[in-house]
Amino acid sequence: MNYNNIEELINDRHSVKQFDPNYKIPHEEMDEMIQLATKAPSSVNMQPWRFAVVESDEAKAKLRPLIRFNTPQNDTSSAMIVIFGDLQCLENSEHIYSSAVEHGMMPKEVKEKNLPIIQGMYNQLPRQAMSDIVKIDSTLAAMQLMLIAKTYGYDTNPIGGFEHDKIGEALGYPLDRYVPVLIIAIGKAAKEGHPSYRMQVERVVNYL
């Protein structure tokens, strides 16, 4: 879909809870959208987001009892994208920074100077601090994915109400490593989402 400006795109995005159950998003398109979503900002570029695309009947059946009041989205969407934050994302640090050098995005001396500092810092972080980092980064990618999906002609619904303590085991993402962040239902809308009121800027902004 073509939008003239970002305001038009944002105003056209509403949370949809009823999708066309017969439509499946091609993997090629899904990969394109997720690849674009990963252009989101990331703390020291560790890219901790992990996307579990739950689309098969078998996988959706595992997810269904864990999503409380959001079963219509699970039953009708093309997919439920469960986003996890990887607490051990540092494992990819050498690959990420070496690839940046290889592609001319970073001088080798910058990588050699900064990467050991970053690795040392991350290795010393307590679990809660690391969890906060990966949740922030993954949420940025999630919002970007929802806007990108709209430009591809798809609608979405972000879901935070699910069994956070059980979803990892159900999908094969052990919680000692992966932090459940958000679920995004995605597909072709069967029923348009309704607009919701947003407070005026003077109620949420304070210039200091």
Side-chain angles (χ1 to χ4, degrees), residues 87-99:
L87 295 172
Q88 298 177 26
C89 58
L90 191 64
E91 288 183 354
N92 291 310
S93 60
E94 180 62 41
H95 167 72
I96 291 169
Y97 276 63
S98 293
S99 296

Side-chain angles (χ1 to χ4, degrees), residues 2-207:
N2 294 321
Y3 292 94
N4 293 321
N5 53 58
I6 188 66
E7 182 180 3
E8 186 177 300
L9 168 60
I10 290 172
N11 286 336
D12 195 36
R13 201 215 70 78
H14 305 296
S15 290
V16 167
K17 298 186 178 182
Q18 294 284 346
F19 298 88
D20 178 354
N22 298 313
Y23 187 87
K24 289 296 182 184
I25 297 174
H27 285 189
E28 181 180 358
E29 273 195 316
M30 186 70 80
D31 287 346
E32 286 177 4
M33 290 188 291
I34 292 176
Q35 184 72 73
L36 288 170
T38 64
K39 302 292 185 180
S42 167
S43 178
V44 295
N45 200 25
M46 283 302 106
Q47 307 170 44
W49 40 66
R50 304 292 179 262
F51 302 86
V53 182
V54 179
E55 61 174 4
S56 69
D57 291 341
E58 179 184 10
K60 282 191 170 187
K62 293 179 181 178
L63 187 60
R64 197 175 198 274
L66 306 179
I67 54 175
R68 302 178 185 177
F69 306 109
N70 298 293
T71 53
Q73 297 95 308
N74 185 68
D75 295 346
T76 63
S77 63
S78 292
M80 300 283 277
I81 305 175
V82 185
I83 301 177
F84 294 90
D86 185 358
L87 295 172
Q88 298 177 26
C89 58
L90 191 64
E91 288 183 354
N92 291 310
S93 60
E94 180 62 41
H95 167 72
I96 291 169
Y97 276 63
S98 293
S99 296
V101 172
E102 180 183 345
H103 288 86
M105 300 173 177
M106 177 186 294
K108 184 178 180 181
E109 56 270 22
V110 172
K111 176 229 172 183
E112 292 177 347
K113 176 184 177 182
N114 291 346
L115 186 55
I117 297 172
I118 291 167
Q119 291 170 331
M121 177 185 69
Y122 265 47
N123 279 325
Q124 293 178 21
L125 287 175
R127 179 185 172 91
Q128 186 57 56
M130 195 66 200
S131 178
D132 291 343
I133 290 171
V134 302
K135 283 181 179 179
I136 291 170
D137 286 2
S138 298
T139 304
L140 289 169
M143 186 68 249
Q144 188 142 304
L145 177 57
M146 287 188 285
L147 292 175
I148 289 164
K150 193 65 182 172
T151 69
Y152 273 70
Y154 300 116
D155 284 281
T156 56
N157 179 207
I159 298 169
F162 57 90
E163 303 294 337
H164 287 244
D165 59 336
K166 298 177 181 177
I167 196 167
E169 180 180 356
L171 300 180
Y173 286 76
L175 296 184
D176 59 343
R177 173 168 182 165
Y178 299 101
V179 178
V181 178
L182 190 72
I183 301 174
I184 298 176
I186 185 171
K188 289 282 189 180
K191 182 179 179 181
E192 288 188 11
H194 58 80
S196 56
Y197 174 76
R198 290 296 188 267
M199 293 189 295
Q200 294 301 303
V201 69
E202 59 267 19
R203 285 186 172 266
V204 298
V205 172
N206 184 27
Y207 288 98

